Amino acid sequence: MQFNSFTFLVFFATFYVIYVSCSHKWQNRLLLLASYIFYGAWDYRFMLLICLTTIVNYFLGNQIGRAYSDGARKKILLTSVVFNLGVLGFFKYYNFFTDVLADILLGLGWGDHSFSLQIILPIGISFYTFQILSYTIDIYRKQISPTDSFLDFALFVAFFPQLCAGPIMRATNLMPQITSHRTFSPVLLKTSCFLFLFGLFEKTVVADNLSVLVDSIYNSGAPDGFSVLLATYAFAIQIFADFDGYSNMAKGLAGVMGFTLVTNFDAPYFSENPSQFWNRWHISLSSWLRDYLYIPLGGNRGGMLKTARNLFTTMILGGLWHGASWMFIYWGAFHGILLAVYLPLNKKLACFPPWLRKLMFFHLICFGWMLFKAHNPVQFNGLLHSIFFNFQFPFQPQHLILLKQVLFYSAVPVLYQYLQYRKSAETPIAEWPLMSRSAVYVFLFYMIVIFGFSEAQSFIYFKF
Amino acid sequence: MSLILKNASAFLRNNAMLPALVCIAVIEIFIHPYLSANYFSHEVDRLLFMLEKDTFNSPMITIGDSVGHGIFADWEFSRGKIANLACNQATETTGQYFFIKRYLKKNHAPHAVISCDRTPMLGNLQQNLTENYIQRCFTEWSEVFEIARIKVDPAFTVKMIAYKLLPTFKYRLHLQQRILGSSNSNIYSGMSEGGSAAQPDNGLIRLISDYKERLREESISQHFFTKIVEMLEAENIPLYYLPPPSKISNNDTDRLIGNSITEMHRLKTHFSNLYPLAEEYKRLPADHFSDDVHLNETGLISYHAPLRSRIESIMNAALQLHREAFLHSFAQGRNLFNLHESNSNSFLYPLHEAIVHTETGMLVITSTGKDPAVELPPISAIDKETGDRVVIHIDLESKEDTLAKIYYRFDGTQPYDETKSVMQVVKSGENRLFFIFPNTFKEGQVRFDPGEREGIYVVKQAEAKLVNTRTSHGKLHALFEANRQ
């Protein structure tokens, strides 16, 4: 069930009418039921897995909280980490690693083996696994106490607005919102409605339409350099609009229910360096990686080389988090290298004007997106070759149509990011006069109605 | 709860959404006529537009799928042009039902309906094209409710309502084409490349929907086929099921048509006006087809030749049925006046160029000019509110071919005029004439003009009845227009 579907509209409208008329206790129970129905709409078997994960981690979280010795606490935490990463590894990476193993065995001349299994990847497993890990680790670190209520914990794991593609919430943030009474303020309601509408616009109008253009070019046999360049810029907007759109819709939905989710994007394409970028792009994941991986690895303590090593390791694992593919690992490594290289470069680049630094770094991000989008290194090389060594611009009508469409669909998200960047606000139009805001609503509505995809297209990050 | 209401009130007062909603409503209301008159996605759009704007009053209508459409495309036969409402398999029988319903709203009831469809009993509005052919097109409120009631799928209904309320959504692909030069889905099919997003196989929604379908006692198409038969039965219109021809090698169609005919035989026990023409099912060689099911030019030529005479005979049979039904109704009608039960000397009152005298129970009108006129006894129907009609039956003998007319007026102060007259063709010899009046005329005076020539006219019987006809005025006129015996 996608947020951008009529099925979800009916589901949420029905749910919401009951939700607002319930007491806090029943709101939580209803939310949990709705979350399981929402998740089961993809595959009822996913519900069994999330239930199992919830039961095991509830039990382990309580055991960590009760254990007296550090050794016992560590063992239980290790059990939790092994269990969660084991489940994630099996469903997401089993076939990847067994294929690698089979290739190695074949290379060594030890025969052609296949260990692959028919495994369905449960939607959002990477998101809720990281969310659960943060819970048990935070208990271990004594930053939070384990919850006594199994139903509250189950809701923390399965809370449907952010279940499938984040933002990855921490227990320190979400659990108090679950356990305490929620209020519906008009301001939150207004902001939430706008966020949902804008997210829907980003997804159905910008991301879905650009995805058709991008796929048609990336999947064509030998695209010309101009088309690849255009498709790469378009993909940069598409992936942002897709993921930011989901995050905005998730925030909007959670907001109308009285919850506040963390901000996941903050004008990332206006970053001047990789460090800024990762503080603005998929903030909930990058902060998770920082707190639970980079800092435990040593962070920036121990000199530039060790810092670079830690950054590189964190980003490779971050890349692998996105999917079981060498291209994601290369993409993570590329960002790791960028972070490491920019450490000494940052001061030297200060002599350039900010707009030039942003422009330069935007193109480095786009280079990374080519790695991210390409199916394999051969395709990536072909794309690079057509841009850098064989650039052609066969001036044909379809190129103009492509250009027109990319500009048409990209204009609003770029402008909106610019406003967010300038105003340092998540909803920069919130302070506009009533009629101007109305005009924005009318504009967004008609963009969605006329240009939006009426068939619900899946979000890119659902497969991560 | 009170807190929620308080907040909701503050929310509405300061929210930019309210003016936005008003603005959207105004735009949608004003843009609708322009969009619906200028943009058509496919044949269903065009047909519905034509049904709204034009009148057909055809003696026969056809319904069915694209095979049926191809067979009856631009067909004329001896009694006029067929209204070909056969369209596309994607509309299923549901769409056919609403086509007929919309047709009957604006046109005279036809003498007969022919259904030419490979799968009239199959379909639960689950096809890929259902959205673009049903949800997007059949958006009158009654249609939305009727489909919602049988489909029992809230998301399906909400989408229909969205299409109903938002013409810009309905015509979005055309608007995209207009603004950007291309659309993100195919305008004809309404789908983007790769088809529509289906519910996942093991998803809860899909499982519930499959379970719901299994609980269905009849398919949605079966339901609407029965409704078509019911609707036509109420109008006394016979429905003929003509199975479309299939390839000799295609056994699937055999089975499908066999199942449909079995189901129709079951229905026939409740509905006498349903005629499955199983014997008309033809198997044709593969070279008669352009694909698996559609006839090519050779196929159409070879299939049309025998079909033409068959349609004529279907029409004659339908007319015979109507005539018999009408005569039966007339026999059952309530007497208003009758020559044989009254004083024949004062039955007719000469008005103009006419001399009347009696001869052995018959009335002889001698016309002294070209406009003879006599007045019949006045009409006075007691049950004015019923849908029954006044019908005057006259057995008239004439020496030559001419035209007989009956004028009517509601009271004696008004003059008789052509706009309030009913006419029948008179042949030389004996004629059985039925003059059927609009159901607004239940009381008043009637003037009979037996012909337009000088000479003798013999009235052997003249009677007026209030008749329950169960059929439209236009169709009854067509039935007796040529004074066929």
Side-chain angles (χ1 to χ4, degrees):
Chain A
M1 202 188 319
Q2 314 269 9
F3 289 167
N4 49 329
S5 69
F6 278 83
T7 310
F8 180 77
L9 177 68
V10 172
F11 165 80
F12 189 75
T14 314
F15 157 80
Y16 195 65
V17 168
I18 307 170
Y19 179 84
V20 292
S21 45
C22 283
S23 65
H24 172 251
K25 177 182 157 189
W26 284 101
Q27 278 183 345
N28 281 357
R29 289 182 185 181
L30 180 70
L31 249 175
L32 181 61
L33 177 70
S35 298
Y36 282 139
I37 293 172
F38 176 81
Y39 197 50
W42 273 281
D43 196 319
Y44 68 93
R45 293 167 298 184
F46 295 170
M47 284 161 53
L48 303 177
L49 181 68
I50 204 169
C51 282
L52 174 74
T53 310
T54 306
I55 292 166
V56 170
N57 283 287
Y58 174 72
F59 173 75
L60 293 175
N62 276 324
Q63 290 303 309
I64 296 171
R66 284 194 201 126
Y68 291 111
S69 72
D70 280 353
R73 290 159 57 80
K74 203 173 229 172
K75 272 183 197 161
I76 302 167
L77 174 69
L78 199 64
T79 311
S80 166
V81 171
V82 168
F83 172 78
N84 289 306
L85 293 183
V87 170
L88 178 65
F90 175 75
F91 282 100
K92 194 163 178 176
Y93 302 107
Y94 174 85
N95 281 337
F96 174 69
F97 285 116
T98 53
D99 287 349
V100 171
L101 179 65
D103 286 345
I104 292 169
L105 293 178
L106 187 66
L108 293 171
W110 291 353
D112 190 0
H113 299 277
S114 175
F115 309 101
S116 293
L117 296 174
Q118 291 281 333
I119 300 171
I120 314 162
L121 177 67
I123 285 173
I125 188 168
S126 307
F127 289 93
Y128 70 72
T129 302
F130 272 36
Q131 187 155 312
I132 290 170
L133 277 174
S134 77
Y135 172 76
T136 48
I137 295 171
D138 286 353
I139 295 173
Y140 171 77
R141 289 175 175 176
K142 297 187 177 170
Q143 287 171 351
I144 55 167
S145 307
T147 175
D148 291 330
S149 163
F150 173 73
L151 293 180
D152 285 349
F153 178 68
L155 180 56
F156 165 72
V157 176
F159 184 54
F160 78 83
Q162 46 87 237
L163 173 62
C164 296
I168 300 167
M169 296 294 287
R170 308 282 179 87
T172 43
N173 187 332
L174 189 56
M175 280 306 283
Q177 297 190 60
I178 291 172
T179 51
S180 54
H181 192 268
R182 292 178 285 275
T183 52
F184 297 83
S185 78
V187 177
L188 180 62
L189 224 51
K190 263 193 320 192
T191 312
S192 302
C193 289
F194 176 76
L195 280 176
F196 186 83
L197 190 69
F198 191 71
L200 192 62
F201 161 79
E202 285 180 294
K203 170 61 185 162
T204 60
V205 179
V206 181
D208 288 349
N209 281 299
L210 288 178
S211 103
V212 176
L213 300 176
V214 172
D215 289 348
S216 71
I217 294 169
Y218 267 64
N219 297 337
S220 67
D224 57 85
F226 174 77
S227 298
V228 174
L229 203 58
L230 199 61
T232 305
Y233 290 136
F235 182 68
I237 303 296
Q238 180 207 334
I239 193 165
F240 167 75
D242 193 282
F243 200 10
D244 187 50
Y246 180 88
S247 301
N248 281 331
M249 282 192 264
K251 275 197 87 165
L253 288 171
V256 294
M257 290 188 264
F259 288 86
T260 307
L261 300 185
V262 296
T263 299
N264 224 9
F265 293 88
D266 179 16
Y269 292 147
F270 287 86
S271 307
E272 292 175 11
N273 56 52
S275 166
Q276 266 187 20
F277 178 75
W278 284 106
N279 279 320
R280 291 167 176 273
W281 177 275
H282 200 174
I283 299 166
S284 63
L285 174 70
S286 47
S287 61
W288 195 99
L289 290 172
R290 181 195 63 209
D291 295 346
Y292 298 104
L293 191 60
Y294 174 69
I295 293 173
L297 280 173
N300 58 4
R301 292 158 298 177
M304 197 172 277
L305 266 181
K306 278 191 179 169
T307 304
R309 181 202 67 188
N310 295 339
L311 284 171
F312 191 70
T313 312
T314 305
M315 291 318 293
I316 282 194
L317 290 172
L320 194 61
W321 175 90
H322 283 81
S325 153
W326 283 109
M327 297 312 291
F328 290 129
I329 296 175
Y330 299 148
W331 176 75
F334 171 73
H335 273 280
I337 292 168
L338 277 187
L339 281 161
V341 168
Y342 260 77
L343 280 178
L345 270 184
N346 259 339
K347 280 181 188 166
K348 290 178 185 168
L349 290 173
C351 59
F352 293 106
W355 67 266
L356 189 60
R357 294 202 295 266
K358 289 185 181 85
L359 194 67
M360 275 165 49
F361 185 67
F362 174 71
H363 281 85
L364 287 172
I365 299 170
C366 288
F367 184 86
W369 289 137
M370 285 175 75
L371 278 165
F372 192 93
K373 178 68 182 165
H375 299 303
N376 50 53
V378 177
Q379 190 196 9
F380 176 71
N381 284 339
L383 296 169
L384 271 192
H385 189 261
S386 60
I387 293 180
F388 292 108
F389 306 108
N390 187 26
F391 188 83
Q392 285 176 353
F393 180 23
F395 196 78
Q396 286 170 351
Q398 70 260 32
H399 288 92
L400 275 182
I401 292 173
L402 271 180
L403 184 63
K404 184 176 163 188
Q405 291 186 336
V406 171
L407 291 175
F408 180 80
Y409 290 121
S410 306
V412 174
V414 170
L415 184 68
Y416 193 76
Q417 271 196 83
Y418 178 72
L419 287 175
Q420 281 181 318
Y421 176 73
R422 294 286 294 180
K423 301 255 180 191
S424 299
E426 190 176 21
T427 49
I429 70 152
E431 301 307 318
W432 288 11
L434 186 81
M435 291 321 282
S436 308
R437 279 184 285 130
S438 293
V440 172
Y441 277 120
V442 173
F443 171 77
L444 291 177
F445 178 83
Y446 275 114
M447 287 298 282
I448 293 166
V449 164
I450 296 173
F451 295 99
F453 264 69
S454 77
E455 299 147 22
Q457 307 285 313
S458 188
F459 290 85
I460 295 177
Y461 269 67
F462 276 15
K463 62 187 177 205
F464 297 153
Chain B
M1 198 66 182
S2 66
L3 183 69
I4 292 169
L5 288 175
K6 198 175 140 197
N7 280 331
S9 150
F11 172 74
L12 288 174
R13 259 184 285 120
N14 302 316
N15 203 296
M17 269 200 253
L18 269 185
L21 281 175
V22 172
C23 180
I24 288 164
V26 170
I27 291 173
E28 294 299 323
I29 288 166
F30 281 99
I31 207 167
H32 181 238
Y34 171 77
L35 294 176
S36 62
N38 286 286
Y39 295 124
F40 304 100
S41 295
H42 42 60
E43 59 273 30
V44 177
D45 269 352
R46 283 186 191 282
L47 183 54
L48 289 176
F49 183 72
M50 280 163 63
L51 284 174
E52 194 187 324
K53 297 289 170 198
D54 299 338
T55 45
F56 297 82
N57 293 328
S58 295
M60 180 180 281
I61 63 178
T62 51
I63 53 171
D65 55 15
S66 54
V67 179
H69 178 84
I71 288 172
F72 291 104
D74 300 321
W75 244 45
E76 285 192 30
F77 66 113
S78 62
R79 289 191 181 82
K81 194 164 180 175
I82 284 178
N84 189 6
L85 309 186
C87 208
N88 191 308
Q89 203 256 333
T91 61
E92 299 182 9
T93 309
T94 307
Q96 295 171 26
Y97 168 71
F98 292 118
F99 279 137
I100 300 179
K101 213 172 166 186
R102 288 200 191 191
Y103 179 92
L104 291 179
K105 252 191 224 167
K106 282 198 66 184
N107 296 275
H108 293 158
H111 301 318
V113 175
I114 295 183
S115 162
C116 185
D117 190 341
R118 278 167 303 142
T119 53
M121 302 292 178
L122 286 186
N124 281 320
L125 302 181
Q126 285 176 310
Q127 299 184 53
N128 281 339
L129 294 176
T130 296
E131 178 177 347
N132 207 31
Y133 281 75
I134 294 285
Q135 287 171 279
R136 203 183 68 86
C137 298
F138 296 95
T139 48
E140 285 185 2
W141 284 117
S142 61
E143 294 167 347
V144 174
F145 290 134
E146 219 164 328
I147 291 175
R149 203 170 53 81
I150 187 78
K151 177 77 180 161
V152 200
D153 180 342
F156 189 96
T157 307
V158 168
K159 203 161 201 177
M160 285 187 88
I161 293 172
Y163 277 124
K164 165 79 186 167
L165 296 179
L166 299 170
T168 45
F169 182 50
K170 184 170 180 175
Y171 296 98
R172 66 190 184 281
L173 299 178
H174 299 274
L175 291 169
Q176 284 177 25
Q177 183 81 41
R178 180 81 184 268
I179 297 166
L180 279 181
S182 67
S183 58
N184 58 26
S185 296
N186 183 302
I187 289 181
Y188 184 81
S189 67
M191 288 189 299
S192 54
E193 214 173 307
S196 62
Q199 290 285 354
D201 283 346
N202 289 307
L204 277 182
I205 308 279
R206 175 70 177 270
L207 293 178
I208 293 167
S209 153
D210 288 351
Y211 180 68
K212 198 179 72 194
E213 292 306 327
R214 277 203 296 278
L215 288 183
R216 245 183 233 294
E217 285 177 2
E218 56 174 8
S219 70
I220 293 178
S221 282
Q222 257 174 313
H223 169 84
F224 279 109
F225 190 86
T226 311
K227 292 207 70 156
I228 290 175
V229 181
E230 266 174 11
M231 181 168 65
L232 296 180
E233 184 95 357
E235 291 273 341
N236 200 23
I237 304 166
L239 171 65
Y240 296 90
Y241 174 61
L242 178 73
S246 73
K247 268 186 190 173
I248 287 173
S249 54
N250 194 343
N251 292 324
D252 260 5
T253 315
D254 258 7
R255 188 179 47 79
L256 290 172
I257 287 175
N259 290 346
S260 301
I261 287 173
T262 309
E263 179 60 22
M264 284 181 206
H265 280 299
R266 192 186 65 74
L267 277 177
K268 190 155 173 59
T269 55
H270 305 288
F271 302 102
S272 57
N273 275 356
L274 173 63
Y275 300 94
L277 304 173
E279 68 286 356
E280 296 301 319
Y281 178 46
K282 300 278 187 297
R283 309 293 300 273
L284 300 177
D287 63 359
H288 281 44
F289 291 83
S290 57
D291 55 25
D292 270 354
V293 291
H294 295 92
L295 288 170
N296 59 20
E297 210 171 324
T298 321
L300 284 173
I301 291 168
S302 103
Y303 186 66
H304 272 171
L307 187 63
R308 226 165 244 288
S309 60
R310 189 69 186 106
I311 296 295
E312 294 289 350
S313 64
I314 285 176
M315 179 58 84
N316 287 337
L319 286 172
Q320 189 58 34
L321 280 172
H322 289 305
R323 198 172 296 126
E324 280 167 13
F326 173 75
L327 291 176
H328 178 74
S329 303
F330 187 79
Q332 305 280 314
R334 193 167 61 76
N335 229 356
L336 298 175
F337 63 70
N338 190 323
L339 170 63
H340 295 317
E341 292 168 7
S342 43
N343 180 1
S344 54
N345 289 324
S346 59
F347 191 77
L348 291 181
Y349 177 72
L351 287 176
H352 187 246
E353 296 178 350
I355 300 164
V356 180
H357 70 275
T358 312
E359 258 183 42
T360 59
M362 297 184 294
L363 292 170
V364 178
I365 303 167
T366 307
S367 163
T368 55
K370 289 186 176 173
D371 187 21
V374 293
E375 197 156 61
L376 288 162
I379 300 291
S380 176
I382 298 163
D383 305 325
K384 294 193 179 66
E385 298 308 315
T386 65
D388 297 353
R389 289 162 188 277
V390 171
V391 177
I392 295 179
H393 159 224
I394 294 177
D395 285 341
L396 183 73
E397 194 180 319
S398 166
K399 302 284 183 197
E400 290 177 89
D401 290 357
T402 184
L403 198 65
K405 280 185 198 167
I406 293 187
Y407 292 88
Y408 58 93
R409 60 182 180 186
F410 295 96
D411 63 67
T413 59
Q414 295 171 332
Y416 288 112
D417 71 67
E418 292 291 335
T419 58
K420 293 192 188 70
S421 70
V422 187
M423 64 182 75
Q424 290 282 285
V425 172
V426 174
K427 305 277 186 191
S428 72
E430 292 197 358
N431 294 268
R432 195 172 190 203
L433 307 176
F434 286 92
F435 296 88
I436 301 142
F437 292 85
N439 56 10
T440 49
F441 179 68
K442 298 278 170 67
E443 186 170 340
Q445 292 173 331
V446 279
R447 186 186 107 179
F448 177 49
D449 290 13
E452 295 173 332
R453 294 171 190 280
E454 285 183 42
I456 305 285
Y457 298 92
V458 181
V459 176
K460 294 182 172 175
Q461 167 64 316
E463 57 180 331
K465 285 188 173 183
L466 193 62
V467 180
N468 175 6
T469 59
R470 277 208 310 158
T471 187
S472 76
H473 186 209
K475 193 170 79 176
L476 287 172
H477 264 286
L479 260 178
F480 296 98
E481 68 188 355
N483 188 27
R484 285 182 296 274
Q485 293 284 327

